[in-house]
Amino acid sequence: MLRTIVCLSAVVAGLVSSGAFAAPSGDGAEREARAPGGILLAQDGNIDVYYDARGNRVIVDADTGKVIAIQPPGTRLDRRALRRQLRMQELGRAPVEDDDRYYLDDPEDMARFRRRQLDEEGRVIPPPADEYDPYGDNSVDAFPPVPDDEGNTATYPEAPKPNTVKRQPLNEASIDPAQPDQDTQASLPPDIGGKATVDPSLSLGARQDVAALQVLLDRAGASPGVIDGRFGSNVDKALAAYNEITGSNLRSTDAVGIQSALAQSGGDAFASYTITPEDAAGPYVASIPEDYSQKAQLDRMGYTSVTEALAERFHMDENYLKSINQGLDFNRPGTIIKVANFGRLVSTPVARIVADKGKKEVFAYDAAGKLVAAYPATIGSSDTPSPSGIHTVSRIALDPNYTYNPSINFKQGQNDKILTIPPGPNGPVGSVWIALDKPTYGIHGTPDPSKIGKTESHGCVRLTNWDARELAKLVSPGVTVEFVGGPTIIDVGGTSTDEFTQQ
């Protein structure tokens, strides 16, 4: 019995020493992990990688802390290849050297993996012409050329088609508040010949919020002169007059207050206007000559263009009107343009006028002494100052002619004879003459509204045509006109040169 046991033990020992018993090969069995190059990885591949002072890569068993391998810089494994190997080991796949590897955090690998997966399923998707290359050189050659017209496969949205212009009847013109949510440009006529063009420099410095303030001031009777979207002395004076007229304390920087006042006084500062056949027809003159003898040969000192006529009608600077309506044809009836919505004119009768030469402003008061209107003005000059003291309105003429008398007036050019210049808004005294009881002096319009308050006159009081016309409807003969401040005609011993004769 003892001999049998000893023999069996010897047989078992021999089998073990000779490797006759094999380790199980199921899925749960441990595998040896080898990195490319023959390095045996510890345990299940849980390792730490360090670099020593010489640049060697030191692979350490994370569980035991033992050094597994030391790789010199020139021979160490690529980190991406090692991570791929570890990933393949986790997935239970054999590390075949020439097999495709897919790195989960590499966009390029995942794109290739997805294409291969679709290919195996029979759903082949061709790779893009310009695959993402995170390691590219970003040079011009790395990007595909722009496709030509014949090989262009890209699709682009069609350009929006302009809406058809809805025109007013030929005998009707309208001014409607601009709709903030409505694209006015979509309703405008095509951009063709005769359209308004403006030098871009003319709109520099013009601001719509300033223009909105100017519209508000104009509505209250505190005229800023031309509405041009620019701050200046005329706006400052008009704002002070506005606060006196309304009893408010509005500031030019109070955007909320300005918008609220606009809403209460007539709505948006700008409106849409449809050009009528009468607007386009005129009549207009080709140009206004400088020489008075040539002016006298014209039938009328009319407007030279539709833009000039509309700018004056809507109290605007002509260049500003063009700048906010660039590309539009002012000469074609049916064109919709953007204009100032200045509201209603002042209607309170005026009992007293004060012409302040220092402030370059005219103030109009009612019978109770309340300020009802204020206008920027050009009042005389140092060489030809306006009169002083109190005078009265003697007569009022709309659309007057102008008599040039070199023996009384200044001498213009080589003209030494009396000339009668026909009426019209571009005449020397504009479209209005309010004569004073002092001969040759009066309040009148101007052919250059943008220069009001910024230039000098020949002794009279010069306003914009629309301000002079409004004032002419508020006054009557006998209304007093008091001149205050500044030099007087007595100081220089001169006379007025704004001679006028009613047609």
Side-chain angles (χ1 to χ4, degrees):
M1 183 65 179
L2 180 60
R3 180 179 298 178
T4 302
I5 293 173
V6 171
C7 291
L8 290 174
S9 300
V11 172
V12 172
L15 291 173
V16 171
S17 62
S18 63
F21 291 109
S25 58
D27 292 340
E30 295 183 357
R31 296 184 177 88
E32 289 184 345
R34 290 184 178 272
I39 297 176
L40 179 65
L41 301 183
Q43 305 296 330
D44 57 353
N46 187 16
I47 62 171
D48 291 330
V49 179
Y50 302 91
Y51 293 88
D52 61 16
R54 297 182 179 179
N56 295 321
R57 190 176 189 218
V58 182
I59 303 176
V60 179
D61 188 327
D63 296 327
T64 64
K66 293 183 179 181
V67 176
I68 299 175
I70 299 177
Q71 300 173 332
T75 61
R76 64 173 178 259
L77 295 174
D78 180 82
R79 181 177 296 182
R80 294 177 62 193
L82 179 59
R83 293 206 304 259
R84 288 175 180 171
Q85 173 62 33
L86 294 177
R87 180 59 179 163
M88 295 298 296
Q89 183 175 330
E90 293 175 2
L91 296 175
R93 294 179 55 181
V96 182
E97 294 294 333
D98 58 352
D99 192 12
D100 280 339
R101 315 293 185 188
Y102 300 103
Y103 197 28
L104 295 179
D105 58 354
D106 188 332
E108 180 184 2
D109 277 5
M110 293 311 300
R112 290 191 297 107
F113 174 75
R114 179 60 179 160
R115 288 196 299 273
R116 177 174 178 177
Q117 191 178 46
L118 294 174
D119 184 34
E120 292 174 353
E121 296 175 1
R123 297 156 52 198
V124 180
I125 298 179
D130 184 17
E131 270 193 40
Y132 169 69
D133 182 12
Y135 305 101
D137 58 1
N138 291 327
S139 64
V140 176
D141 296 333
F143 297 90
V146 177
D148 54 23
D149 295 337
E150 297 180 355
N152 189 0
T153 58
T155 59
Y156 300 93
E158 295 183 0
K161 298 180 180 180
N163 295 334
T164 304
V165 176
K166 184 178 180 181
R167 298 184 178 178
Q168 297 276 349
L170 293 182
N171 59 351
E172 180 182 347
S174 65
I175 177 170
D176 303 316
Q179 300 299 324
D181 296 331
Q182 179 182 2
D183 186 7
T184 304
Q185 289 293 90
S187 302
L188 297 175
D191 188 4
I192 59 173
K195 51 186 174 295
T197 58
V198 60
D199 187 340
S201 64
L202 295 176
S203 59
L204 294 178
R207 292 165 43 185
Q208 184 164 320
D209 59 334
V210 177
L213 172 60
Q214 291 174 318
V215 170
L216 174 63
L217 300 176
D218 203 5
R219 288 179 183 177
S223 172
V226 293
I227 296 172
D228 59 2
R230 291 177 172 83
F231 278 119
S233 60
N234 286 349
V235 174
D236 295 338
K237 293 183 292 188
L239 182 58
Y242 172 88
N243 287 331
E244 182 178 349
I245 292 172
T246 61
S248 60
N249 189 27
L250 184 68
R251 296 184 178 182
S252 61
T253 56
D254 185 3
V256 175
I258 292 171
Q259 290 301 319
S260 176
L262 282 170
Q264 296 174 8
S265 62
D268 293 340
F270 292 92
S272 298
Y273 176 76
T274 303
I275 294 177
T276 67
E278 291 77 14
D279 294 331
Y284 300 104
V285 297
S287 62
I288 300 297
E290 292 293 334
D291 188 83
Y292 275 24
S293 63
Q294 296 179 11
K295 290 179 187 287
Q297 297 175 15
L298 298 177
D299 293 332
R300 179 174 175 79
M301 301 295 291
Y303 295 115
T304 59
S305 64
V306 178
T307 55
E308 184 184 26
L310 293 178
E312 185 156 305
R313 183 186 306 178
F314 295 105
H315 303 185
M316 301 176 70
D317 175 71
E318 183 181 1
N319 289 327
Y320 182 62
L321 175 65
K322 292 179 181 179
S323 71
I324 64 174
N325 293 285
Q326 292 190 42
L328 302 186
D329 188 357
F330 284 79
N331 296 324
R332 191 176 75 178
T335 299
I336 302 173
I337 61 173
K338 181 179 180 180
V339 297
N341 183 19
F342 61 84
R344 298 180 179 179
L345 301 178
V346 177
S347 59
T348 304
V350 172
R352 182 171 69 96
I353 296 173
V354 174
D356 194 319
K357 292 181 279 187
K359 293 183 178 180
K360 296 184 178 181
E361 194 168 15
V362 169
F363 301 93
Y365 299 88
D366 63 10
K370 185 180 183 300
L371 181 65
V372 296
Y375 311 103
T378 296
I379 308 175
S381 65
S382 58
D383 294 332
T384 56
S386 58
S388 59
I390 299 176
H391 301 271
T392 60
V393 173
S394 61
R395 63 184 183 274
I396 301 165
L398 301 178
D399 209 22
N401 62 12
Y402 176 83
T403 300
Y404 167 75
N405 188 341
S407 62
I408 300 176
N409 305 127
F410 62 94
K411 184 177 181 181
Q412 196 276 329
Q414 301 300 318
N415 296 304
D416 54 3
K417 298 180 180 179
I418 296 177
L419 299 171
T420 299
I421 298 177
N426 275 318
V429 294
S431 58
V432 176
W433 172 262
I434 303 174
L436 302 183
D437 57 2
K438 187 175 180 63
T440 75
Y441 288 95
I443 303 172
H444 60 81
T446 179
D448 298 309
S450 296
K451 296 181 180 180
I452 290 297
K454 304 171 185 178
T455 57
E456 298 178 334
S457 73
H458 297 296
C460 288
V461 179
R462 188 181 300 167
L463 309 178
T464 64
N465 280 338
W466 55 87
D467 286 343
R469 187 173 290 271
E470 178 182 83
L471 182 60
K473 294 181 179 181
L474 302 178
V475 301
S476 58
V479 170
T480 61
V481 180
E482 181 180 2
F483 290 84
V484 299
T488 66
I489 192 171
I490 299 176
D491 295 332
V492 297
T495 59
S496 168
T497 56
D498 282 332
E499 176 66 14
F500 159 78
T501 306
Q502 184 176 355
Q503 185 177 13

